């Protein structure tokens, strides 16, 4: 709390100082902006003056006419100087070597190349936009070297031809008078840099140029508008940066150690208070821990037993009121958990059994509908013998599927069931369908859930063989591993594409022509009864047939017996 209080107090003072500095810098920016806007307004007046455009774009027949126009322009520029005492000079330098100086008494320095000046070249590069320079000595006048900030602008004629450059020099002393008295604490100050990092104004400019003092110019340029603090120990400085609309950055600098008065006294007071609190807290903690930790450790030991699955325990209730309540609650919780676990096991078993029975009940009406459809078709074709044979096979098929109400049946019963079904379909499709069942004797006495082959075979006939040209065949084989049995149904039907195979067993997927209803039923029943690692898997390619693998675990073998007839 002591450390937090100290830092919160310091941060609060720094935040207030930062807000104050930000507002101060914004005000300085507004003041400077008003000066710059005045210079910009002057450049607009000159750029749009028809006399200026005519003088620097035409040649005259007589020197008197030229002199008259030049004198008019000089008076125009001179009127600007009268309205602004902070302006050092206003000048126009044309591409045709003509020039007009707004201040009388000034002469050009014969040893200075105007077109080589940086402000001249920057104006040409800006293409008619105003360019503001950093503070510099203006050397273009004879015996007159003022310290100024220059605004230059290229002048363009009505036809887009280049006429020259307009130059306004602002006395640096005006900016110095405006900013020199601004103080941020005992040592804080305000300075200005341009977009290239050059110092426009600094109260200690001579120290900067002589490299006896430095500023974090790179970080200042990287910040558009905001604050950052230098890492200089006790001399750390907080920089508050305000971006202007004309490429300059106004920067307020405050020294961090000046922001909070009597920092050492504050730090010492908070430290002593913190130490006193720590000593008191340690004494209280030692006393309380002795009373609380012993019964808690005992309760922890019983909790670890519960983690191991031992719910047949009872925690003795200690005399400590809080721990006694916790122990009684723990005993109630363990008893309730034990009761709920038994209830969940019972409920899950009943739920699983109900789901299996529901899925099983779905499949018989589906089988009966398709088989009776075949019998009706044969009866309409007067195939009485085939009707009798098919009806007999149907009776055997349903007798095998009933299985005396048992959930698990030997694999031999499933083979008998599917053989009757294929016999019925063979009579219906004649030469269109042939089949082969080769399931090993070693697996036929193992148990599986009933009616798992018929939906797979039915799907192969109606959605594979029926759609292809030429005869079709179905092969049913088996594979045996140490723990599992696989029944494999293979056909040479029309097959399926990769996307259909991928979504075939999705519970919510909708299938064209009813595809997937029966096989999803088989897949879900296998997973409900044996676990999620079992069920159906598909391999198929369009035009090359389909292979379905039905995998389930080895179950306790039934005693060998003869199939019912």
């Amino acid at each position: 709390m002591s450390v937090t209080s100290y830092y919160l107090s310091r941060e609060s003072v720094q935040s207030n100082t930062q807000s104050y500095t930000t507002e101060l810098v914004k005000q300085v920016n507004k003041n400077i902006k008003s000066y710059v806007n005045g210079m910009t307004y002057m450049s607009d007046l000159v750029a749009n003056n028809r006399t200026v455009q005519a003088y620097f774009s035409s040649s005259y027949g007589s020197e008197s006419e030229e002199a008259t126009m030049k004198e008019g322009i000089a008076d125009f520029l001179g009127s600007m100087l009268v309205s602004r005492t902070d302006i050092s000079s206003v000048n126009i330098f044309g591409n045709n070597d003509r020039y007009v100086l707004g201040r009388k008494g000034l002469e050009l320095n014969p040893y200075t190349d105007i077109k080589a000046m940086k402000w001249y070249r920057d104006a040409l590069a800006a293409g008619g936009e105003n360019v503001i320079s950093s503070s510099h000595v203006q050397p273009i006048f004879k015996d007159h070297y003022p310290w100024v900030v220059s605004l230059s602008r290229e002048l363009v004629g009505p036809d887009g031809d280049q006429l020259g450059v307009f130059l306004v020099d602002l006395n640096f002393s005006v900016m110095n008078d405006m900013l020199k008295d601004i103080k941020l604490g005992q040592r804080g100050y305000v300075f200005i840099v341009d977009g290239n990092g050059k110092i426009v104004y600094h109260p200690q400019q001579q120290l900067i140029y002589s490299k006896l003092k430095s500023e974090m110019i790179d970080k200042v340029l990287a910040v558009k508008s905001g604050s950052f603090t230098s890492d200089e120990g006790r001399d750390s400085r907080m920089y508050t940066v305000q971006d202007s609309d004309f490429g300059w950055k106004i920067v307020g600098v405050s020294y961090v150690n000046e922001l909070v008065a009597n920092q050492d006294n504050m730090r010492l007071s908070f430290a002593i208070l913190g130490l006193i609190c720590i000593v008191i807290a340690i004494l209280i903690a030692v006393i309380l821990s002795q009373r609380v930790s012993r019964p808690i450790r005992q309760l922890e030991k019983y909790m670890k037993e519960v983690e191991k699955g031992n719910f047949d325990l009872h925690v003795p209730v200690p005399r400590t009121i809080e721990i006694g309540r916790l122990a009684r609650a723990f005993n109630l919780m363990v008893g309730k958990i034990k009761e709920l676990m038994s209830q969940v096991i019972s409920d899950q078993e009943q739920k699983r059994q109900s789901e299996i029975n529901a899925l099983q009940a779905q499949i018989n009406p589906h089988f009966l509908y398709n088989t009776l459809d075949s019998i009706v078709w044969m009866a309409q074709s007067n195939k009485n013998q085939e009707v009798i044979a098919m009806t007999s096979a149907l009776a055997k098929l349903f007798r095998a599927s009933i299985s005396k109400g048992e959930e698990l049946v030997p694999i031999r019963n499933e083979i008998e069931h599917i053989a009757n079904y294929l016999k019925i379909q063979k009579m219906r499709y004649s030469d269109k369908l042939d089949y082969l069942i080769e399931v090993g004797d070693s697996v036929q006495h193992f148990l599986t859930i009933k009616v798992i082959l018929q939906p797979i075979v039915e799907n192969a006939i109606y959605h594979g063989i029926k759609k292809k040209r030429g005869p079709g065949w179905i092969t049913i084989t088996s594979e045996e591993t140490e723990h599992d049995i696989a029944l494999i149904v293979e056909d040479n039907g029309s097959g399926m594409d990769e996307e259909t195979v991928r979504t075939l067993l999705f519970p919510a997927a909708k299938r064209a022509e009813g595809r997937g209803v029966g096989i999803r039923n088989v897949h879900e029943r296998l997973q409900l009864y044996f676990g999620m690692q079992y069920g159906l898997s598909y391999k198929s390619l369009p035009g090359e047939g389909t292979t379905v693998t039905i995998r389930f675990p080895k179950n306790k073998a039934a005693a060998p017996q003869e199939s019912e007839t």
Side-chain angles (χ1 to χ4, degrees):
M1 288 176 62
S2 298
V3 173
T4 302
S5 299
Y6 169 73
Y7 279 105
L8 286 177
S9 300
R10 193 179 72 171
E11 290 296 328
S12 177
V13 174
Q14 289 183 357
S15 177
N16 291 336
T17 304
Q18 180 178 339
S19 299
Y20 166 74
T21 305
T22 300
E23 292 301 320
L24 181 63
V25 169
K26 285 182 178 179
Q27 187 59 46
V28 171
N29 182 44
K30 289 181 180 179
N31 294 339
I32 295 177
K33 186 176 180 180
S34 66
Y35 281 93
V36 173
N37 286 342
M39 298 167 67
T40 303
Y41 176 70
M42 293 168 64
S43 73
D44 291 338
L45 290 177
V46 172
N48 296 308
N49 188 283
R50 294 184 178 180
T51 304
V52 172
Q53 293 179 353
Y55 178 74
F56 287 96
S57 62
S58 305
S59 60
Y60 302 96
S62 65
E63 292 183 2
S64 61
E65 185 179 358
E66 179 181 350
T68 300
M69 187 169 287
K70 181 176 182 179
E71 184 177 355
I73 296 174
D75 291 340
F76 172 59
L77 299 180
S79 65
M80 294 181 178
L81 288 173
V82 172
S83 64
R84 292 284 297 270
T85 58
D86 55 332
I87 300 297
S88 174
S89 66
V90 182
N91 316 280
I92 304 175
F93 301 95
N95 291 337
N96 53 8
D97 294 329
R98 295 175 180 172
Y99 66 90
V100 178
L101 305 181
R103 185 175 293 278
K104 295 180 179 180
L106 291 180
E107 296 182 19
L108 288 182
N109 189 343
Y111 303 105
T112 302
D113 183 4
I114 299 296
K115 295 183 178 180
M117 295 287 100
K118 186 176 186 304
W119 52 262
Y120 190 96
R121 291 184 281 108
D122 290 344
L124 295 180
E129 297 293 331
N130 292 306
V131 178
I132 302 176
S133 73
S134 59
S135 57
H136 64 100
V137 175
Q138 184 62 276
I140 64 174
F141 302 110
K142 184 177 181 180
D143 300 327
H144 185 68
Y145 303 98
W147 193 270
V148 297
V149 173
S150 299
L151 180 144
S152 55
R153 175 178 177 176
E154 182 187 17
L155 301 179
V156 180
D159 299 330
D161 51 332
Q162 295 179 343
L163 304 180
V165 173
F166 170 69
L167 171 68
V168 181
D169 286 334
L170 174 67
N171 284 321
F172 181 75
S173 59
V174 175
M175 190 177 299
N176 185 63
D177 293 340
M178 185 183 357
L179 302 177
K180 68 179 181 180
D181 294 330
I182 296 178
K183 298 293 184 182
L184 299 174
Q186 295 295 324
R187 296 186 292 165
Y189 52 88
V190 173
F191 72 93
I192 303 173
V193 295
D194 64 12
N196 297 320
K198 292 184 178 181
I199 298 292
V200 176
Y201 165 80
H202 198 288
Q204 300 169 341
Q205 201 146 329
Q206 297 301 325
L207 296 178
I208 296 292
Y209 288 152
S210 60
K211 298 184 179 179
L212 296 177
K213 183 179 180 63
S214 63
E215 299 288 354
M216 306 183 73
I217 302 300
D218 292 339
K219 284 192 175 182
V220 169
L221 295 177
V223 176
K224 184 174 182 180
S225 289
S227 299
F228 66 90
T229 302
S230 65
D231 186 11
E232 300 173 286
R234 295 185 62 87
D235 291 329
S236 295
R237 291 171 288 178
M238 183 174 67
Y239 287 76
T240 303
V241 183
Q242 177 66 41
D243 201 0
S244 68
D245 298 333
F246 41 85
W248 289 357
K249 289 183 180 289
I250 318 299
V251 185
V253 180
S254 304
Y255 283 84
V256 175
N257 62 354
E258 294 180 355
L259 300 182
V260 182
N262 301 322
Q263 284 193 87
D264 293 337
N265 292 336
M266 286 182 56
R267 193 180 296 112
L268 180 60
S269 300
F270 282 121
I272 293 174
L273 178 62
L275 288 175
I276 293 174
C277 292
I278 289 174
V279 172
I280 295 174
I282 291 175
L283 292 175
I284 296 175
V286 170
I287 296 172
L288 291 180
S289 64
Q290 295 298 321
R291 297 185 60 187
V292 175
S293 62
R294 188 180 298 106
I296 288 179
R297 286 195 296 268
Q298 185 181 19
L299 183 59
E300 181 187 11
K301 185 189 302 182
Y302 284 101
M303 288 181 176
K304 289 182 178 179
E305 288 296 319
V306 173
E307 288 180 2
K308 297 176 183 178
N310 180 14
F311 293 93
D312 298 322
L313 50 82
H314 182 80
V315 178
V317 180
R319 289 180 297 177
T320 308
I321 296 176
E322 293 81 2
I323 307 303
R325 291 175 179 173
L326 185 60
R328 283 191 292 271
F330 181 77
N331 289 332
L332 290 175
M333 180 190 69
V334 171
K336 191 65 177 178
I337 290 175
K338 184 177 180 181
E339 179 183 346
L340 291 175
M341 287 179 62
S342 300
Q343 182 65 36
V344 167
I345 292 173
S346 176
D347 291 347
Q348 289 297 320
E349 180 63 28
Q350 292 179 8
K351 179 181 177 182
R352 185 183 67 86
Q353 186 63 45
S354 298
E355 289 176 345
I356 292 174
N357 292 339
L359 289 171
Q360 179 63 42
Q362 292 175 8
I363 207 150
N364 287 333
H366 187 63
F367 297 161
L368 181 61
Y369 170 80
N370 287 287
T371 306
L372 290 177
D373 183 52
S374 299
I375 294 174
V376 170
W377 176 79
M378 289 183 178
Q380 290 174 344
S381 302
N382 296 321
K383 298 182 179 181
N384 297 329
Q385 294 300 320
E386 287 83 350
V387 169
I388 294 172
M390 185 175 292
T391 305
S392 176
L394 177 63
K396 293 180 181 180
L397 184 146
F398 271 97
R399 184 165 58 248
S401 66
I402 292 172
S403 304
K404 299 178 181 180
E406 298 175 354
E407 289 185 10
L408 296 178
V409 297
I411 293 178
R412 71 170 70 89
N413 287 20
E414 271 298 294
I415 299 304
E416 179 182 357
H417 180 274
I418 198 61
N420 287 321
Y421 177 78
L422 284 169
K423 182 177 180 181
I424 292 171
Q425 296 294 358
K426 173 67 175 176
M427 284 188 288
R428 178 177 177 181
Y429 290 101
S430 186
D431 296 336
K432 178 71 175 178
L433 173 66
D434 201 357
Y435 64 90
L436 176 64
I437 302 175
E438 292 185 341
V439 177
D441 294 337
S442 62
V443 302
Q444 291 199 19
H445 63 283
F446 286 105
L447 302 179
T448 183
I449 59 175
K450 56 189 176 183
V451 193
I452 59 174
L453 286 172
Q454 192 272 340
I456 311 300
V457 173
E458 179 183 10
N459 199 60
I461 294 174
Y462 281 95
H463 300 291
I465 294 174
K466 187 177 179 180
K467 293 182 178 181
K468 75 179 296 291
R469 294 181 179 181
W473 51 262
I474 295 176
T475 302
I476 302 176
T477 58
S478 64
E479 290 183 358
E480 181 181 4
T481 65
E482 182 179 356
H483 302 289
D484 298 338
I485 294 175
L487 298 179
I488 302 168
V489 180
E490 185 178 1
D491 68 74
N492 68 336
S494 59
M496 296 174 286
D497 57 35
E498 183 178 351
E499 179 65 17
T500 302
V501 172
R502 188 180 67 84
T503 61
L504 194 60
L505 300 178
F506 282 6
K510 295 182 179 180
R511 306 283 175 246
E513 303 176 9
R515 173 179 291 192
V517 175
I519 59 175
R520 277 201 314 278
N521 185 300
V522 173
H523 184 65
E524 292 173 4
R525 286 194 297 135
L526 287 168
Q527 289 190 333
L528 278 171
Y529 202 94
F530 297 119
M532 298 303 293
Q533 68 271 33
Y534 297 105
L536 305 183
S537 60
Y538 271 75
K539 293 182 180 179
S540 182
L541 290 174
E544 298 186 12
T546 303
T547 301
V548 186
T549 302
I550 310 171
R551 188 170 300 279
F552 51 89
K554 286 184 176 179
N555 290 277
K556 185 177 180 181
Q561 61 184 21
E562 295 296 329
S563 301
E564 296 184 11
T565 59

